[in-house]
Amino acid sequence: MFDSTAPIGIFDSGIGGMTVARAVTRLLPQENTIYFGDTAHLPYGDKSTAAIQAYSIKICNVLLQQKCKLILIACNSASAAAFELAREYVGSKAHVMNVIDPVVDYIKERYAAKTLGLIGTKQTVLSNVYKKKVDALDRDIILKSLATPLLAPMIEEGFFDNSISESIIARYLSDPGLDGISALILGCTHYPLIKKQIRLFYGGQVEILDTSEIVAHSLRAWLEQHYLTNQTGEGKRDFFVSDYTQSFEASTQLFFGQPTSLQHYPLWE
C-alpha cells in the first residue's frame, strides 16, 4: 500500500505539463508534488518513440527515488509513446497515469455520434493513439486529427498571446481537415496556454476541451477511490529540470504565483 503523504510526480518535456500540475494543485492543494521538466530534450513531439521511452524511464526512476505514490505523464507525446513501458517499469512501486485515457473516458460519456477535432504534436497524431481508443468506444464518434508541430515550440518561447501566435493558430485551425467539428481536444498539455485564442477563433461555435482539467479530476478520483488523498499535507512544491534555464524558472513563477527554486538533475551524467 502506498503512503498517502507521499508526493505526486508529474513530468513533461518543458512547461506544458505545468498546465496539468497547476490544475492538480488547485484541485488538491494539500498534495505534495514534484514536477520534472526534461528541458534538455524538449520538445518531445518531434522525437522518436525510442528516445521518448528512454527519457521517460529515466525520469520515472528519478520520481521513484523521491518515493512518489503516483506518477503522471503530463505529456501527450510521452503518454502515446511510453505509457505502457513506464507502467511496466514502475510496476507496483507507484501508480502511473497518462493524459490520454482520462480524456477518452470523458468524451465517451458526452460526445456519442459527434464529430470531434484533435490537435497535437506529430508524435501524438501519427501514433493514432486517440483514434484507436475513440474507435474502440463504439460510440459513433468521428475524430479528425491535425498535427500542429509549431505550437509547442512557440509556447515554450513565450509566444502565446500576440499577433504571431494568433496567425499561426488561425492557419492551423483553418485547415479543412478540422471542418465540421463540434468540439476540439487540446491534445498537448502546452495548448491550454493558447486556449483563449483558440476559443476566439471559433467564436463560441466549437467547444474547447481543456485536457488539463479533465486529467486533474481523474487523478483526484483515483486517489479518493484508493484512500490515498493527503489529509495532513501543506502542499509542498518541488521542481526538477534536466537542464537549467532562466525561462523555465520564470515560467514556474508565472504558473504558481510565487518564487520557486529549480533543482538541476541531469538524466545522463
Side-chain angles (χ1 to χ4, degrees), residues 13-27:
S13 61
I15 66 170
M18 285 193 195
T19 60
V20 183
R22 179 172 61 183
V24 168
T25 56
R26 284 176 175 172
L27 205 58

Side-chain angles (χ1 to χ4, degrees), residues 111 173 181-184 195-209:
Y111 294 98
L173 299 184
I181 62 173
S182 58
L184 180 69
K195 181 170 64 174
K196 181 176 74 173
Q197 289 170 288
I198 293 173
R199 187 173 282 136
L200 283 172
F201 174 86
Y202 284 115
Q205 300 302 304
V206 172
E207 187 177 356
I208 310 304
L209 301 187

Side-chain angles (χ1 to χ4, degrees), residues 187-246:
C188 174
T189 51
H190 285 74
Y191 296 177
L193 290 168
I194 53 172
K195 181 170 64 174
K196 181 176 74 173
Q197 289 170 288
I198 293 173
R199 187 173 282 136
L200 283 172
F201 174 86
Y202 284 115
Q205 300 302 304
V206 172
E207 187 177 356
I208 310 304
L209 301 187
D210 184 341
T211 55
S212 61
E213 298 291 339
I214 296 169
V215 170
H217 279 86
S218 179
L219 186 150
R220 180 176 69 175
W222 187 89
L223 289 178
E224 290 174 346
Q225 181 184 354
H226 293 85
Y227 305 100
L228 283 172
T229 53
N230 190 353
Q231 304 296 325
T232 60
E234 297 180 359
K236 185 171 180 284
R237 317 274 173 247
D238 289 311
F239 297 88
F240 290 13
V241 288
S242 54
D243 183 35
Y244 174 78
T245 66
Q246 284 189 324

Side-chain angles (χ1 to χ4, degrees), residues 14 19 36 40 53 70 72 83 101 106 108 115 117 124 130 134 137 140 150 171 181 194 213 221 223 244-245 267:
T19 60
F36 194 108
Q53 288 177 340
L70 185 150
L72 173 61
F83 171 64
D101 289 331
Y106 182 87
K108 174 184 178 181
T115 298
T124 298
Y130 272 100
V134 167
L137 297 177
D140 295 321
L150 290 179
R171 179 68 178 270
I181 62 173
I194 53 172
E213 298 291 339
L223 289 178
Y244 174 78
T245 66
L267 293 182

Side-chain angles (χ1 to χ4, degrees), residues 75-118:
C75 169
N76 281 265
S77 298
S79 291
F83 171 64
E84 295 297 341
L85 183 64
R87 187 168 62 172
E88 184 179 340
Y89 175 79
V90 170
S92 62
K93 300 184 186 104
H95 179 65
V96 181
M97 282 184 64
N98 63 58
V99 291
I100 296 174
D101 289 331
V103 177
V104 173
D105 290 341
Y106 182 87
I107 66 176
K108 174 184 178 181
E109 303 302 325
R110 294 164 178 83
Y111 294 98
K114 300 284 188 182
T115 298
L116 306 182
L118 167 77

Side-chain angles (χ1 to χ4, degrees), residues 117-153:
L118 167 77
I119 55 173
T121 65
K122 287 180 181 178
Q123 170 66 230
T124 298
V125 171
L126 294 178
S127 73
N128 251 349
V129 63
Y130 272 100
K131 179 167 174 45
K132 290 173 186 173
K133 288 177 181 289
V134 167
D135 287 348
L137 297 177
D138 197 23
R139 288 288 200 274
D140 295 321
I141 299 170
I142 297 172
L143 183 66
K144 296 184 172 185
S145 302
L146 179 71
T148 51
L150 290 179
L151 294 184

